[in-house]
């Protein structure tokens, strides 16, 4: 078994120091885990945080940043993916948190 991995996840050098900056240390499991979709973490952060409204992780886990929704889409805070505006509604520009009618 590779000393750097346990059940497929990177081992931390010590509690809270995951070698991949997009991962957090899960105390219950005792291992580094990727942030869930809709959450992100980078080297300046200790824990995963929700993507702000108008941004998402495009359904991916282990994201280092959130990306703005494209025109015609929106997202609420913590959404894993941007949502297409419904029939008769629209959003102008990038990173919108709601659609207009």
């Amino acid at each position: 078994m590779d000393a750097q991995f346990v059940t497929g996840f990177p081992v931390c050098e010590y509690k809270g120091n995951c070698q991949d900056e997009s991962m957090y240390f899960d105390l219950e499991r005792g291992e580094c885990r990727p942030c869930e979709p809709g959450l992100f973490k980078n080297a300046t952060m200790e824990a995963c945080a929700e993507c702000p409204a108008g941004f998402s992780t495009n359904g991916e886990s282990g994201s280092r940043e959130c990306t703005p929704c494209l025109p015609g889409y929106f997202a609420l805070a913590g959404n894993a993916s941007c949502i297409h505006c419904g029939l008769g509604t629209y959003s102008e520009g990038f990173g919108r948190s709601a659609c207009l009618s």
Side-chain angles (χ1 to χ4, degrees):
M1 176 166 50
D2 187 338
Q4 292 297 318
F5 290 87
V6 174
T7 63
F9 294 100
V11 174
C12 298
E13 292 175 13
Y14 56 88
K15 186 173 89 172
N17 182 22
C18 298
Q19 294 177 353
D20 183 334
E21 66 185 34
S22 68
M23 297 182 128
Y24 72 99
F25 187 79
D26 186 325
L27 289 171
E28 290 180 17
R29 295 183 181 191
E31 64 189 17
C32 292
R33 305 281 303 172
C35 295
E36 297 292 324
L39 304 175
F40 75 104
K41 181 185 169 303
N42 59 43
T44 66
M45 304 165 65
E46 290 186 23
C48 300
E50 281 188 346
C51 289
F55 292 75
S56 80
T57 59
N58 297 314
E60 299 291 324
S61 61
S63 295
R64 289 180 176 84
E65 63 184 6
C66 301
T67 57
C69 296
L70 298 173
Y73 291 81
F74 76 100
L76 302 175
N79 273 110
S81 298
C82 296
I83 302 164
H84 190 268
C85 292
L87 188 62
T89 65
Y90 67 98
S91 68
E92 294 179 345
F94 293 86
R96 302 298 179 190
S97 59
C99 296
L100 306 171
S101 55

